[in-house]
Amino acid sequence: MTGTGATETGATDAAPEPPALRTPLTDLVGVRHPVVQTGMGWVAGPRLVSATAEAGGLGILASATMTYDELEHAVAEVKSRTDRPFGVNLRADAEDAGERVDLLIREGVRVASFALAPRPEMIAKLKDAGVVVIPSVGAAKHAAKVASWGADAVIVQGGEGGGHTGGVATTLLLPSVLDAVDIPVVAAGGFYDGRGLAAALAYGAAGVAMGTRFLLTRESTVPDEVKRAYLARGLTDTVVTRKVDGLPHRVLRTDLVDSLERSGAVTGLARAVRNAIRFRRLTGVSWRSMLTEGRAMKRSGDRTWAQVLMAANTPMLLRAGLVRGETDAGVLASGQVVGLLDDLPTVADLVETMVTEAHTRLSSLP
């Protein structure tokens, strides 16, 4: 699936859409298929999101690495490319989170997703305006908490997933969350084809969410040389490191990551200071805002101030690899599933193949 012939949104002229695969997620959001493209920083832009929407899935814009103006333009571009539902991933602890929520409401964005749990009043405001709220969680207790606050659904990522991740496999984490809440649960971590989608639905999930698989599509704006670097990896070529920002982070194993693993605290903090300055210049975030967000991060978990400062590493190291193509100077977030991928399909082909295979697998069950 590496030829050409797709439109810019990834849909082909000849291939009809596969039969809709209806679940509580599709009913909730208004999409045809229970396939979610996650809000990956520097990756999930308008082209990928609109292609996912046109293919019948739920595409989610990544706004944490955008300024407010960039987010406004990105939402407008998605709406110019598709009239189907899509979502935006927000940082609940951002200084301008309230303004971004207002933007989603004003523009009629269907879904607001969150990597960190939004406050109950933020959930209520979005829901009152008809926006579906879907936080990401890493434990059953967190799912129960956001459900009690009014979240409409949750995405739960097992340890196989890329980026910030936990230590419990999806096959164990998913059923624990399903037992804890009565809202739709979307499974993430280790999914890439129709077999996985069918398995998740058999567990009781309402769909699957994927990052690495969508990163490795033709509509993804990640540089081609970086995509080739991903496709060359095997199942054991990712590593979970805390040296990026102090939290467990699954990334491709590279010379830079090995160097970070060997570096001491002083070297890591010096790098974080430089990246904090670069991130501020790039996004226009004020020092006051960064300090406010740092305090919120400190209150919301058990991070030290050193780890809070290290958080500046994440967006800048990811940008070096995923935007600028500097595989030797950037960090490449990746799920373990990268070792099973060897192609760059269009988003339309990916979703169609997944849904068709899932239909076949599910119909064959007794």
Side-chain angles (χ1 to χ4, degrees), residues 6-354:
T7 64
E8 193 169 350
T9 59
T12 59
D13 294 329
E17 287 185 302
L21 189 51
R22 185 175 179 181
T23 73
L25 175 69
T26 63
D27 289 345
L28 175 67
V29 178
V31 295
R32 285 179 55 84
H33 308 304
V35 178
V36 179
Q37 163 255 303
T38 59
M40 300 165 280
W42 306 118
V43 176
R47 190 168 78 177
L48 182 59
V49 170
S50 59
T52 304
E54 283 293 291
L58 175 64
I60 299 178
L61 271 173
S63 80
T65 50
M66 297 179 184
T67 65
Y68 177 88
D69 288 343
E70 287 171 340
L71 174 59
E72 190 172 36
H73 291 146
V75 169
E77 183 175 346
V78 174
K79 291 175 67 175
S80 73
R81 289 169 173 262
T82 182
D83 59 1
R84 297 189 179 188
F86 67 96
V88 173
N89 182 259
L90 300 173
R91 280 190 56 178
D93 60 343
E95 183 182 41
D96 63 350
E99 296 174 52
R100 294 180 184 235
V101 164
D102 290 340
L103 170 63
L104 266 61
I105 293 172
R106 183 171 67 250
E107 294 297 325
V109 173
R110 183 60 180 146
V111 173
S113 77
F114 294 87
L116 297 174
R119 299 182 302 277
E121 56 269 27
M122 185 177 290
I123 295 176
K125 182 175 183 178
L126 286 162
K127 286 171 62 71
D128 287 347
V131 181
V132 175
V133 179
I134 308 180
S136 294
V137 299
K141 64 180 180 181
H142 299 147
K145 179 173 70 173
V146 296
S148 71
W149 288 352
D152 296 294
V154 292
I155 296 174
V156 55
Q157 177 177 301
E160 303 94 323
H164 291 126
T165 196
V168 180
T170 303
T171 51
L172 300 175
L173 184 60
L174 176 58
S176 74
V177 174
L178 287 166
D179 289 343
V181 298
D182 294 324
I183 58 178
V185 176
V186 180
F191 297 101
Y192 68 102
D193 65 2
R195 295 173 299 180
L197 174 55
L201 297 179
Y203 264 101
V208 298
M210 305 183 298
T212 306
R213 176 66 280 191
F214 275 105
L215 184 153
L216 293 172
T217 58
R218 271 188 255 160
E219 288 84 358
S220 162
T221 56
V222 171
D224 288 342
E225 62 270 27
V226 177
K227 292 179 182 178
R228 288 193 291 269
Y230 273 89
L231 292 175
R233 301 311 180 100
L235 282 171
T236 60
D237 288 334
T238 65
V239 61
V240 177
T241 178
R242 288 180 176 267
K243 288 300 185 75
V244 175
D245 61 5
L247 295 177
H249 204 113
R250 186 176 292 281
V251 299
L252 289 185
R253 190 186 300 273
T254 63
D255 290 341
L256 172 62
V257 172
D258 288 342
S259 174
L260 290 175
E261 285 289 289
R262 294 192 300 268
S263 66
V266 173
T267 301
L269 287 176
R271 180 185 293 107
V273 170
R274 292 194 299 271
N275 280 331
I277 293 171
R278 291 169 183 161
F279 185 67
R280 176 180 174 274
R281 289 172 178 169
L282 185 68
T283 63
V285 174
S286 67
W287 286 114
R288 179 180 179 182
S289 174
M290 293 180 71
L291 180 59
T292 299
E293 292 180 23
R295 286 173 175 162
M297 292 166 65
K298 186 73 170 59
R299 287 194 301 268
S300 65
D302 57 358
R303 291 199 203 187
T304 65
W305 275 111
Q307 289 173 322
V308 169
L309 182 57
M310 284 175 66
N313 277 330
T314 303
M316 298 312 297
L317 290 177
L318 289 173
R319 179 175 181 264
L322 297 173
V323 178
R324 297 169 61 181
E326 299 173 358
T327 55
D328 58 344
V331 168
L332 302 172
S334 176
Q336 286 181 305
V337 72
V338 70
L340 297 174
L341 305 179
D342 59 7
D343 63 348
L344 294 173
T346 65
V347 168
D349 284 343
L350 170 62
V351 174
E352 178 182 355
T353 300
M354 282 187 67

Side-chain angles (χ1 to χ4, degrees), residues 193-196 198 351-362:
D193 65 2
R195 295 173 299 180
V351 174
E352 178 182 355
T353 300
M354 282 187 67
V355 171
T356 300
E357 184 178 14
H359 271 296
T360 300
R361 297 277 174 169
L362 292 170

